[in-house]
Amino acid sequence: MTGLEVNLTAPNGHKITLPTGLFINNEFVKSSSGDKIKSINPSDESEIASVEAASAEDVDKAVKAARAAFQSEAWGGISGTDRGALMFKFADLIEEHKETLATLETWDNGKAYSVSLNEDLAETIAVIRYYAGWADKIHGLTIPTHPQKFAYTLKQPLGVCGQIIPWNFPLMMAAWKFGPALACGNTIVLKPAEQTPLSILYLATLIPKAGFPPGVINIVNGYGKEAGNALVSHQDVDKIAFTGSTITGRAVMKGASINLKNLTLETGGKSPLVVFKDADIEQAAKWGHVGIMYNQGQVCTATSRILVHEDVYDEYIKQFKDVVAANKVGNPFDDDTFQGPQVTQAQYERVLSYIESGKSEGAKLATGGVPHKNVGNGKGFFIEPTVFTDVTENMKIFQEEVFGPFVVITPFKTEEEAVRLANNSCYGLGAALFTQDVERAHRVSAKLEAGMVWVNSSNDSDIRVPFGGVKQSGIGRELGAAGLEAYSQTKAVHINMGLKL
Ligand code: NAD
């Protein structure tokens, strides 16, 4: 034992040796300030472990390590094929350790273990493999410009990339950012969210095993205001990729302006789901439910505003409540649990405060609206799935992102009104619509102000398809080929083959 690891036994009996240091230059090290982050189990409020929290000085060390790796022959000098091979090995190792990683994810975050294992880990592995496949297919163009001249373009990495991720999908968000950054040949300093620092530390142990040279991937757990801010405002960081709240996104944009960093932001949402009267109501209720209640409602793309045609409004609410009742809130390690606890006490209190707001503004509480106290020791941050109906567009609960198992349902009369209501938001991440009229599906899809539209579905996300928002939901795209654009730059080289002056 180095003093920077702990032996843990998880609630599912899994035994784990977990490093607790900052991961810089392929080594776990102590924080220079001695600051720590205490990780709390949201299911029973017990402490799981205490890990090192990075200071600005530690962030600087990580950036220096990343810069040296970027300039090294061991990383900067290898081919895309070789980079891809390291990434494939990394994905294989994650797969080998997926039960341990999924256990840590559920313990720390509260999401159902079946989801951690079969969805978060499956996608983490898939996205690294997807971008490993791209690593040797990133190249420029040849452009004829004159009989004796031509130009070509080189796709080059940006350099040192700072990546700041949230707590709702810790490993998946790390993988979405690692994949394209590594494929393009960048180096990384990743700052996980302070609410969920654990799974990424175990993941870090696999980085040297995969063969990545020191400094290519550095991981600095830490607090947003200290470590996050130090990364964003560092003069030798070339890019910031951020996922989190819109308010922090604004601070990130401001801080990153110090040296005009390249920026991608994936921020908040209040995505609408529109149910027209010709929709398959049963399907619209089931997709609507999963679209908001999945992951305890802690999804940036969650379809948290449901707009329903007045003729099918009552029937829709009835069916939606039936689906809510059929899904268990409980211990995330139980096989049949759909909804676990909110990630932290702060998020739990935030959701409860919006319940009060909904009541005081005169919305009708159709179900839920109270903590759920029937799990384990009666502690933990569980909330009954909450549905407010008769919600009007000026209410706070219609406009603000709650980020919990909390949905508002609003009636509409015409297609025009539905589109106007759907677009009445400062956000524009996702939008869903249910109709059997193919013309309407395309017409409305084009009018919705959103980065992604789901027709007769909700919250589809695929590693091959661009993901991101418009308005205050973000800048730039992740995933798919579009994700590579965010981590490479185009250099134009002009060649004169003999044109004399
Ligand atoms: P946040 O935006 O504060 O945190 C996201 C990440 O940014 C974390 O790693 C955090 O440490 C870091 N950060 C915080 N302040 C920073 C700063 N000044 N400079 C640099 N980095 C900083 O989000 P949160 O507090 O975890 O959650 C608050 C709300 O954000 C939620 O209720 C929800 O509405 C929203 N949220 C959205 C997403 C999403 O995926 N869009 C994810 C998580 C939270």
Side-chain angles (χ1 to χ4, degrees), residues 164-168 191-195 224 228-229 232 242-245 248 252 266-268 300 347 350 401 403:
I164 299 177
I165 57 169
W167 41 260
N168 50 350
K191 197 207 78 66
E194 52 269 46
Q195 296 83 352
N229 185 45
V232 163
F242 167 81
T243 300
S245 61
T248 306
V252 166
E266 201 266 282
T267 52
C300 51
Q347 285 300 122
R350 177 184 163 97
E401 184 180 43
F403 228 63

Side-chain angles (χ1 to χ4, degrees), residues 163-169 173 191-195 222-233 240 242-249 251-252 266-269 298-301 343-344 346-347 350 354 400-404 427 429 467 473:
Q163 305 183 325
I164 299 177
I165 57 169
W167 41 260
N168 50 350
F169 296 92
M173 287 301 99
K191 197 207 78 66
E194 52 269 46
Q195 296 83 352
Y223 295 96
K225 288 215 158 52
E226 173 77 19
N229 185 45
L231 191 55
V232 163
S233 54
I240 291 287
F242 167 81
T243 300
S245 61
T246 294
I247 190 160
T248 306
V252 166
E266 201 266 282
T267 52
Q298 300 166 153
V299 183
C300 51
T301 50
V343 69
T344 55
Q347 285 300 122
R350 177 184 163 97
Y354 277 103
E400 295 186 11
E401 184 180 43
V402 176
F403 228 63
Y427 298 113
L429 197 46
F467 181 103
S473 288

Side-chain angles (χ1 to χ4, degrees), residues 38-320:
K38 262 191 206 165
S39 174
I40 302 295
N41 175 356
S43 298
D44 64 9
E45 303 178 40
S46 62
E47 182 180 330
I48 306 173
S50 171
V51 305
E52 301 291 306
S55 64
E57 192 184 324
D58 299 317
V59 169
D60 184 53
K61 279 184 203 151
V63 171
K64 288 199 166 87
R67 177 61 62 195
F70 184 69
Q71 291 166 343
S72 71
E73 279 305 303
W75 179 252
I78 67 173
S79 68
T81 309
D82 290 343
R83 284 201 304 275
L86 291 172
M87 293 173 71
F88 278 121
K89 179 84 203 302
F90 189 34
D92 290 348
L93 285 165
I94 299 172
E95 190 159 45
E96 225 174 86
H97 293 263
K98 66 181 178 185
E99 281 87 6
T100 305
L101 288 162
T103 298
L104 284 166
E105 202 75 315
T106 290
W107 198 2
D108 205 11
N109 167 284
K111 64 175 71 197
Y113 180 73
S114 57
V115 171
S116 290
L117 185 66
N118 302 322
E119 298 177 32
D120 290 35
L121 262 298
E123 180 157 330
T124 298
I125 296 159
V127 80
I128 299 287
R129 286 198 178 126
Y130 172 81
Y131 282 111
W134 267 112
D136 60 0
K137 299 170 193 68
I138 299 167
H139 46 68
L141 295 169
T142 307
I143 307 161
T145 52
H146 180 276
Q148 286 168 299
K149 282 179 155 184
F150 72 98
Y152 63 90
T153 57
L154 293 171
K155 286 280 180 198
Q156 296 191 315
L158 300 174
V160 176
C161 298
Q163 305 183 325
I164 299 177
I165 57 169
W167 41 260
N168 50 350
F169 296 92
L171 288 172
M172 245 172 73
M173 287 301 99
W176 280 28
K177 291 189 168 33
F178 284 172
L182 294 171
C184 294
N186 299 282
T187 56
I188 294 169
V189 178
L190 177 106
K191 197 207 78 66
E194 52 269 46
Q195 296 83 352
T196 50
L198 301 186
S199 57
I200 195 79
L201 288 171
Y202 193 87
L203 187 87
T205 66
L206 309 178
I207 291 167
K209 287 186 187 149
F212 287 105
V216 172
I217 307 173
N218 305 278
I219 296 167
V220 287
N221 271 310
Y223 295 96
K225 288 215 158 52
E226 173 77 19
N229 185 45
L231 191 55
V232 163
S233 54
H234 199 291
Q235 289 281 6
D236 201 33
V237 171
D238 300 292
K239 182 203 171 82
I240 291 287
F242 167 81
T243 300
S245 61
T246 294
I247 190 160
T248 306
R250 282 194 206 108
V252 166
M253 201 168 182
K254 209 182 241 178
S257 70
I258 189 165
N259 61 340
L260 292 191
K261 288 182 183 69
N262 177 305
L263 202 59
T264 42
L265 300 175
E266 201 266 282
T267 52
K270 189 78 178 175
S271 300
L273 181 147
V274 185
V275 182
F276 289 101
K277 73 173 171 189
D278 64 344
D280 177 334
I281 299 299
E282 186 187 340
Q283 283 302 309
K286 286 183 173 164
W287 282 106
H289 172 265
V290 79
I292 173 62
M293 299 300 176
Y294 181 73
N295 209 43
Q296 295 68 248
Q298 300 166 153
V299 183
C300 51
T301 50
T303 34
S304 49
R305 287 183 297 145
I306 303 185
L307 311 173
V308 186
H309 190 273
E310 60 182 2
D311 290 359
V312 291
Y313 185 69
D314 291 340
E315 179 58 21
Y316 184 82
I317 292 167
K318 182 189 162 301
Q319 294 210 25
F320 192 94

